[in-house]
Amino acid sequence: MLRINQLKVPLQYTKEGIEKKLNKLLYLRPGQLTGIEIIRESLDARKKPDLYYNLVVDIQVEREEAVLRFCQKKKLKEIIRLSHEKYEFPPAGAGGMKYPPIIAGAGPAGLFCGYYLAKAGYKPILIEQGEPVERRMETVEAFWKDGILNPYSNVQFGEGGAGTFSDGKLNTSIKDKAHRSREILKVFVEMGASPEILYKQKPHIGTDVLIDVVKNMREAILAYGGQVRFYTKLEELVLEGQKLKGIRVRNLNCPDGNQDTLKETIPCEQLVLAVGHSARDTFSMLYSSHVPMEAKAFAVGFRVEHPQSMINKSQLAIADLEGTGIKAADYKLTAKTSTNRGVYSFCMCPGGYVVNAASEKGGLTVNGMSYSGRNGKNANSAIIISVTPDDFPGDSPLGGVEFQRRLEKKAYELGKGKIPLQLYGDFKARRITEQLGNIVPEVKGDYSFANVRDILPEELNQAFIEGMEAFHKKIPGFAKEDVPVLGIEARTSSPLRILRDKGFESNIKGLYPCGEGAGYAGGITSAAIDGLKVAEAIVSAYAPLACQPINRTENEEK
């Protein structure tokens, strides 16, 4: 197999066009090119508005050796022989397993851990305090409409995790010599995502499509012999010394989560903690159980909105992208302030919405999301400032949690339960906005005018302003007076790390901290990869339970 790097093609390219270009480039006879797979597609806007794509393409050809010699003779350095490496799941270990492994949390880390364990015959039990994703969507939509919060199932909690309501971005910068990232993307495609995520430079699924993908993953886990239990909240670890013996759970049988109807002890010797970055009461329980953890740096800030046409014009020199095949332009911005704070754009949502992402009564935080079409009027992004444990109250590992809660309580109070909003010019002048400018906010949930500047400590406000002004030099209009500023964005990542060893295990034997909530990931793909790594660790150490897994193809046929 050969790999072609930097293959330049027009925006509206076709597979037939690629084949014709390759035949010409490599002097191939008709029929000699037997296979084409696009590995990577990246938009080149260096000579905007003259836009085109650069592709990385793997090809299969007859007489490969002769074609390779021709490329070497012509000094076509962008064409190389590919050693076809792929992801390999490890063989089962020899350790005994008395009970099915339990996974707490059905976000990307928990789902992928559960999927691979189930597929390997380990019959995992996923527990999730929130609702199935279909019902969760209804609950979240109702919250945005009437403001009545379900603290157990919301934008942060429920099947699919927090990423379900954050556009479904799948890009990650982690090093991946084991090819786990592409393996994860392939599973997403099997579960209903578009095949284009396998090669797009910045792949995304979209909240609307992600709901079906998550549901399909659950059904696959069930088909392989696993269990998924909703309305089931992890309450306590059952320990014998430094060894896990079971867990106690609270079953929230009422879908609205208002009544505790049943408590239960479940024996287990392997528990995967994939609880997500907002599981604050679980963090407290683990801390009380002397599970080692430490506070870590994260970032906080505000969401800002701009017309998507303005971002398109700045990034691509084309305001209206209709007919180009490009949905919407994006951006990634970074700056360093005079006080050495890092300021950067985060979770940028082209054609998206700012959403009320609260998960605790009396607190409010925001996030951003897009649907698969990315066709909203505005672009939005969090402009966030790095904070460290030095900024947190006290010296407890839970200091970052307390820091977040204080900010979210202030935001809730300022907005009277609605998302507080202030135009950027008013933010700088410390005055409450009285009317909108030319940008009409695209928001899921209600908003109200408030002095957003009162939420953060003043040093962080100054850092935000410095960042906005720096970004204005890169994208004209970014810091215009009428840019909506909405806050607070406090859940960018976990405020702590639950410590684990090289075998992914805590000092409590059988406890596996996992994913973003445990402090080892920062997005859907990296969390899914961490879930896969933990599944690998469990499989490598233990033999599967007695019953063999159902063959996947046979199960689908049934």
Side-chain angles (χ1 to χ4, degrees), residues 26-312:
L26 302 176
Y27 289 84
L28 299 177
R29 301 188 310 273
Q32 190 175 353
L33 182 61
T34 59
I36 298 174
E37 181 181 4
I38 300 171
I39 301 301
R40 180 62 56 89
E41 173 197 277
S42 56
L43 182 66
D44 194 322
R46 289 175 294 180
K47 297 180 180 180
K48 56 189 177 187
D50 181 18
L51 308 176
Y52 58 90
Y53 286 116
N54 278 318
L55 303 183
V56 176
V57 181
D58 288 353
I59 64 170
Q60 294 175 317
V61 293
E62 295 178 353
R63 302 183 66 230
E64 183 178 293
E65 286 291 343
V67 173
L68 189 60
R69 286 196 300 270
F70 169 81
C71 294
Q72 293 169 344
K73 182 178 180 180
K74 292 292 185 179
K75 297 182 179 181
L76 299 175
K77 296 180 180 180
E78 68 275 14
I79 302 173
I80 60 173
R81 168 171 276 159
L82 184 67
S83 57
H84 197 67
E85 299 176 341
K86 63 179 182 177
Y87 171 75
E88 296 287 346
F89 194 70
M97 184 177 280
K98 292 182 181 179
Y99 312 106
I102 294 179
I103 302 165
L111 283 171
F112 274 86
C113 185
Y115 173 78
Y116 281 91
L117 286 177
K119 189 176 179 182
Y122 287 74
K123 297 184 175 296
I125 302 171
L126 271 74
I127 62 171
E128 167 59 54
Q129 72 168 12
E131 299 169 302
V133 68
E134 315 95 295
R135 186 176 182 102
R136 179 188 177 201
M137 186 68 203
E138 296 173 0
T139 298
V140 169
E141 291 280 5
F143 167 64
W144 287 336
K145 183 178 180 180
D146 59 32
I148 300 174
L149 177 69
N150 180 342
Y152 300 103
S153 191
N154 45 62
V155 172
Q156 306 294 347
F157 298 130
E159 188 181 27
T164 305
F165 295 94
S166 187
D167 187 60
K169 299 177 188 66
L170 302 178
N171 49 299
T172 179
S173 59
I174 65 174
K175 295 180 180 179
D176 186 29
K177 293 181 180 179
H179 310 286
R180 293 186 183 94
S181 180
R182 190 162 183 83
E183 172 72 9
I184 294 297
L185 295 180
K186 286 181 178 179
V187 173
F188 273 126
V189 172
E190 289 175 20
M191 298 301 155
S194 169
E196 71 177 18
I197 68 172
L198 293 172
Y199 58 83
K200 287 287 186 181
Q201 184 181 22
K202 296 179 181 179
H204 79 106
I205 297 179
T207 292
D208 47 338
V209 176
L210 194 56
I211 289 169
D212 288 333
V213 170
V214 168
K215 178 183 175 183
N216 291 338
M217 284 204 73
R218 178 219 308 161
E219 292 177 347
I221 291 168
L222 295 174
Y224 282 127
Q227 299 178 46
V228 183
R229 293 178 52 174
F230 297 104
Y231 315 115
T232 303
K233 182 175 175 56
L234 175 63
E235 288 276 277
E236 187 180 349
L237 305 180
V238 179
L239 304 176
E240 185 178 276
Q242 292 296 103
K243 189 175 182 180
L244 182 71
K245 287 297 183 180
I247 61 171
R248 292 192 177 94
V249 298
R250 180 157 49 106
N251 291 344
L252 311 169
N253 269 4
C254 288
D256 64 3
N258 287 333
Q259 297 180 25
D260 302 344
T261 58
L262 182 64
K263 293 189 178 181
E264 179 185 359
T265 299
I266 307 175
C268 76
E269 293 182 333
Q270 294 82 30
L271 172 65
V272 179
L273 286 171
V275 294
H277 62 41
S278 295
R280 294 165 173 174
D281 49 356
T282 303
F283 296 154
S284 295
M285 179 273 290
L286 296 171
Y287 182 58
S288 299
S289 300
H290 307 290
V291 175
M293 60 181 67
E294 62 186 13
K296 75 170 186 65
F298 59 104
V300 296
F302 306 111
R303 283 271 155 186
V304 296
E305 294 192 73
H306 303 90
Q308 183 61 53
S309 59
M310 185 193 97
I311 302 302
N312 295 343

Side-chain angles (χ1 to χ4, degrees), residues 107-110 112-113 174 184 514-517 520-533:
F112 274 86
C113 185
I174 65 174
I184 294 297
C514 179
E516 189 164 356
Y520 296 98
I524 292 174
T525 301
S526 60
I529 289 173
D530 203 58
L532 175 52
K533 288 179 178 178

